[in-house]
């Protein structure tokens, strides 16, 4: 019988002579044949520069570009003119920071972030703060990694103009209370920017139901190619925003001394687009829809239960954040006592198991947790109970390999 694993050619590649146990899905995911074939077919049959050629091939490329936008808009429950293609989450968030933040924020305003933000949802806001004088205010999770109502009440005030938060942290794996945040934002008159890089691979995200103003994600964490990302923005807000990058294809008319700009979303899509990547992203969404979200979530929940139970049986391991499998989406960050995370990851690599070690682009969170770094196992649709068992069995040996008795 055909399995999901058969759809992912890389899973049959041997690592150090061993079966690849790929558990670094929060860094990037592997690509199924549906995506690889769609990109290849676009490049073999339809490649041209969209919105430029009047010839038939150009029309096919334009159609591929706009059809992909339409599939992404359906995926997020947005309108097509609210979907901007970018390179990745980082570019999407920078677009909001530079185009919205630099334009509309000023001294006396407050920008609310969580201390668990990925650097790509933190450093751009530091730039905005420096240039505009708006102040950065941080939300701190409780001992289980949750943002409490009291914390939200304290930090989201009448001065708050923008709240930029990850729906799911790429370290703690815990979903934040988006509805509570949006409710307070509406009262304060603030906009909400949701970083969905770690949430979209693990749950359906409906931007209309969430009522967020912006949402960003990367294709490469969603089984699509690298180099393609998405920014959703509410049309009425995007309409007010100046361009981020300027140049070809984002203009109305250009004169020697001035230019007019295209309507959204093209105003924010300067230069030649990554249509192959867009087609790949649309194919990835089609692939996930064919698996079904209930199946994906049940499968990943089973993996999470197995992994958390297995980790609980190993002495000297500290897992960060809430230990309930229902609260976690795809990620378990932990440390083995007295063992440097890089040693843990290298030892597991010799067993063909790939996990990430480091600060995971979340240095303020590491400081808050009072650690320098940690290891992170992260799961995806093709992981199996055997992958989890391989992780647990290998981890059982780590302290012994490092010379400790147990
Ligand atoms: N935010 C979160 C929560 C992430 O997990 C990541 C990727 N690890 C990013 C932002 C940045 O994504 P990219 O590097 O694709 O721009």
């Amino acid at each position: 019988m055909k399995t999901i694993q058969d759809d992912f050619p890389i899973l049959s590649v041997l690592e150090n002579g061993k079966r690849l146990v790929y558990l670094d899905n929060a860094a990037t995911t592997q690509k199924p044949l549906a995506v690889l074939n769609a990109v290849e077919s676009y490049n073999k049959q339809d490649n041209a520069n969209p919105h430029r050629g009047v010839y038939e091939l150009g029309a096919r490329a334009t159609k591929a570009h706009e059809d992909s936008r339409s599939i992404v808009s359906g995926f997020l429950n947005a309108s097509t003119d609210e979907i901007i293609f970018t390179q990745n989450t980082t570019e999407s968030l920078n677009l909001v920071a530079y185009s919205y933040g630099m334009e509309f924020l000023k001294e006396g305003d407050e920008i609310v972030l969580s201390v668990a933000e990925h650097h790509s949802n933190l450093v751009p806001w530091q730039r905005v703060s420096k240039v505009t004088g708006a102040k950065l205010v941080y939300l701190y999770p409780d001992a289980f990694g949750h943002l409490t109502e009291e914390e939200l009440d304290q930090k989201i005030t009448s001065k708050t103009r923008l709240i930029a938060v990850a729906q799911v942290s790429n370290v703690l794996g815990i979903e934040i209370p988006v509805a509570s945040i949006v409710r307070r934002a509406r009262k304060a008159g603030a906009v909400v920017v949701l970083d969905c890089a770690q949430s979209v691979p693990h749950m359906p995200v409906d931007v209309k139901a969430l009522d967020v103003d912006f949402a960003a994600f990367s294709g490469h964490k969603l089984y699509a190619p690298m180099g393609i990302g998405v920014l959703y923005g509410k049309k009425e807000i995007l309409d007010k925003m100046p361009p981020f990058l300027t140049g070809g294809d984002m203009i109305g008319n250009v004169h020697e001394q001035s230019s007019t700009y295209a309507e959204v979303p093209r105003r924010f899509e300067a230069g030649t687009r990554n249509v192959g990547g867009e087609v790949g992203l649309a194919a990835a969404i089609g692939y996930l829809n064919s698996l079904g979200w209930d199946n994906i979530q049940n499968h990943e929940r089973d993996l999470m239960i197995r992994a958390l139970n297995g980790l609980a049986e190993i002495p000297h391991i500290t897992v960060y954040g809430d230990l309930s499998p229902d609260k976690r989406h795809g990620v378990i960050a932990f440390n083995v006592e007295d063992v440097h995370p890089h040693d843990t990851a290298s030892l597991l690599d010799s067993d063909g198991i790939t996990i990430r070690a480091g600060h995971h682009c979340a240095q303020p969170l590491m400081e808050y947790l009072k650690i320098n770094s940690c290891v992170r196992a992260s799961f995806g649709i093709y992981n199996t109970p055997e992958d989890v068992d391989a992780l647990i069995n290998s981890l059982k040996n780590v302290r012994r390999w490092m010379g400790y008795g147990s």
Side-chain angles (χ1 to χ4, degrees):
M1 205 179 67
K2 197 169 155 301
T3 62
I4 290 187
Q5 293 73 37
D6 295 331
D7 292 337
F8 290 82
I10 203 167
L11 296 180
S12 50
V13 173
L14 293 182
E15 281 295 301
N16 297 318
K18 307 239 169 79
R19 179 177 80 84
L20 169 63
V21 177
Y22 187 75
L23 294 175
D24 199 13
N25 294 284
T28 198
T29 50
Q30 303 304 341
K31 324 301 172 201
L33 283 167
V35 168
L36 300 173
N37 292 342
V39 176
E40 190 181 350
S41 153
Y42 169 78
N43 282 314
K44 279 184 172 167
Q45 294 167 32
D46 300 323
N47 177 53
N49 209 323
H51 299 149
R52 285 163 174 82
V54 290
Y55 43 84
E56 175 54 31
L57 186 62
R60 286 212 300 283
T62 302
K63 184 168 178 338
H65 174 57
E66 293 305 340
D67 284 354
S68 304
R69 193 192 307 280
S70 169
I71 286 169
V72 173
S73 70
F75 180 63
L76 294 179
N77 190 25
S79 309
T80 46
D81 51 9
E82 296 176 314
I83 298 297
I84 297 159
F85 283 121
T86 62
Q87 290 182 66
N88 48 36
T89 309
T90 303
E91 189 191 331
S92 298
L93 294 168
N94 273 276
L95 193 165
V96 183
Y98 281 82
S99 180
Y100 185 93
M102 295 290 190
E103 185 79 9
F104 296 114
L105 300 186
K106 55 182 191 326
E107 205 171 337
D109 292 345
E110 292 187 353
I111 301 170
V112 174
L113 313 174
S114 154
V115 78
E117 294 316 309
H118 188 284
H119 296 162
S120 69
N121 197 27
L122 199 152
V123 184
W125 302 114
Q126 290 178 339
R127 293 289 306 140
V128 170
S129 167
K130 198 162 175 127
V131 173
T132 65
K135 189 176 149 197
L136 297 184
V137 173
Y138 282 92
L139 298 164
Y140 297 102
D142 67 12
F144 302 99
H146 298 294
L147 294 177
T148 62
E149 296 289 308
E150 298 74 56
E151 181 68 0
L152 298 180
D153 275 339
Q154 260 189 36
K155 304 287 173 66
I156 302 174
T157 70
S158 57
K159 289 188 182 160
T160 309
R161 285 288 153 274
L162 186 141
I163 304 170
V165 276
Q167 187 173 14
V168 173
S169 147
N170 64 311
V171 179
L172 300 171
I174 294 172
E175 187 179 1
I176 58 160
V178 179
S180 297
I181 290 172
V182 170
R183 202 170 52 245
R184 285 173 175 80
R186 293 293 158 258
K187 217 165 122 201
V191 293
V192 177
V193 184
L194 199 62
D195 171 356
C196 299
Q198 181 59 34
S199 54
V200 286
H202 304 289
M203 62 180 73
V205 173
D206 179 330
V207 291
K208 287 275 143 55
L210 293 171
D211 192 29
V212 291
D213 301 285
F214 298 96
F217 73 90
S218 298
H220 72 89
K221 288 188 53 153
L222 192 76
Y223 310 98
M226 291 187 176
I228 185 70
V230 169
L231 174 68
Y232 156 80
K234 275 187 185 159
K235 176 78 163 52
E236 63 268 27
I237 303 180
L238 291 176
D239 278 340
K240 287 191 302 197
M241 287 162 50
F244 169 43
L245 301 175
T246 51
D249 215 33
M250 52 69 66
I251 47 85
N253 286 298
V254 179
H255 308 286
E256 280 190 11
Q257 301 294 335
S258 66
S259 301
T260 58
Y261 308 128
E263 294 295 308
V264 295
R266 276 177 77 176
R267 186 188 307 165
F268 296 106
E269 293 183 345
T272 298
R273 312 313 302 165
N274 174 7
V275 185
E278 296 164 8
V279 167
L281 175 57
I285 291 171
Y287 181 75
L288 290 172
N289 287 340
S290 75
L291 295 177
W293 276 110
D294 281 351
N295 294 331
I296 294 171
Q297 289 191 297
N298 287 338
H299 174 68
E300 292 187 350
R301 187 171 180 280
D302 288 347
L303 295 178
M304 196 52 84
I305 293 172
R306 199 177 184 96
L308 288 168
N309 286 344
L311 284 169
E313 281 173 17
I314 311 176
H316 309 292
I317 284 196
T318 306
V319 176
Y320 301 103
D322 197 319
L323 295 179
S324 156
D326 291 327
K327 305 275 194 253
R328 285 192 175 260
H329 301 281
V331 175
I332 306 179
F334 59 95
N335 266 320
V336 183
E337 201 180 310
D338 301 321
V339 182
H340 194 284
H342 283 167
D343 289 333
T344 304
S346 298
L347 288 168
L348 265 65
D349 186 38
S350 61
D351 275 343
I353 302 164
T354 58
I355 58 171
R356 173 141 176 224
H359 53 60
H360 313 286
C361 299
Q363 283 183 343
L365 177 63
M366 298 296 117
E367 269 176 33
Y368 181 65
L369 294 173
K370 300 194 171 49
I371 54 178
N372 286 324
S373 54
C374 57
V375 276
R376 178 185 71 184
S378 51
F379 305 94
I381 50 176
Y382 36 65
N383 288 124
T384 59
E386 291 73 39
D387 291 347
V388 174
D389 294 349
L391 168 75
I392 300 297
N393 289 335
S394 197
L395 277 173
K396 281 181 183 158
N397 295 322
V398 166
R399 279 181 50 95
R400 208 172 30 77
W401 280 330
M402 294 300 293
Y404 296 100
S406 63

